[in-house]
Amino acid sequence: MPSQDKPLIVLIAGPYLSGTGGAPHKIAANRARLESFALPIYQRGHLPMVGEWLALPIIHAAGGREQGDAVFQAHQYPVAARLLERCDAVLRIPGESRGADLDVARARELGLPVVQSVDELPLRQAVPAAARA
C-alpha cells in the first residue's frame, strides 16, 4: 500500500449496469451498493471514489441520454482509465462486471493494490480538526 501520510484515493469497482437489463431501478440499486462502501472507506481515513461520480456528468455533457448508449460506451471506460491513474487502490466488490474487471486489470498494470474488503485498507489516523486550523 502507498504511504499512510496521506489518505488513499480508493476506487470502488463493482457492478453498475451489469445484471440490470437496463432497468433504471436496478441500475440505481447497483449505484447505491457501490456508494454504500464510501462511508466505511472514509471512516478508515481515506477518500472513496465511484467512477460514475465523474463519468456521468461527462457523458451527459457529451449528449448521452441513456445508460449504456453509444455516448456512455464512448466515455465510461476512458474516464475510469484516467481516474485509475490518480487512484491509490481499488476495492473490488462482489458481482459480475466487465467494467470492474477492466478496472482491476488496469489497476494491476499500474501496480495499484486491489482489495476485496474495506478491512484490507490501512487504518489511517484522522487528523484532528484543531490540528488543521
Side-chain angles (χ1 to χ4, degrees):
M1 287 282 164
S3 167
Q4 291 183 38
D5 328 359
K6 301 188 306 184
L8 302 176
I9 298 174
V10 181
L11 178 66
I12 305 164
Y16 179 67
L17 291 181
S18 299
T20 67
H25 71 281
K26 291 181 179 180
I27 295 168
N30 277 353
R31 183 172 174 178
R33 184 166 169 253
L34 289 164
E35 292 175 347
S36 74
F37 290 87
L39 181 59
I41 290 169
Y42 183 79
Q43 289 172 327
R44 290 191 74 81
H46 306 295
L47 290 172
M49 179 59 63
V50 173
E52 286 72 22
W53 293 344
L54 295 178
L56 290 175
I58 293 167
I59 291 164
H60 294 148
R65 299 290 171 245
E66 294 181 22
Q67 304 285 350
D69 68 12
V71 175
F72 182 95
Q73 296 300 328
H75 292 85
Q76 179 72 3
Y77 298 130
V79 168
R82 287 185 194 181
L83 174 58
L84 278 163
E85 292 181 23
R86 302 301 302 250
C87 289
D88 302 302
V90 173
L91 169 64
R92 175 57 162 102
I93 65 172
E96 190 173 321
S97 170
R98 176 177 167 254
D101 291 343
L102 290 171
D103 292 342
V104 167
R106 180 68 181 135
R108 289 190 171 131
E109 288 173 8
L110 294 169
L112 301 177
V114 176
V115 299
Q116 307 295 313
S117 166
V118 173
D119 294 335
E120 293 177 62
L121 296 169
L123 185 58
R124 182 173 171 265
Q125 290 287 331
V127 178
R132 292 189 305 257

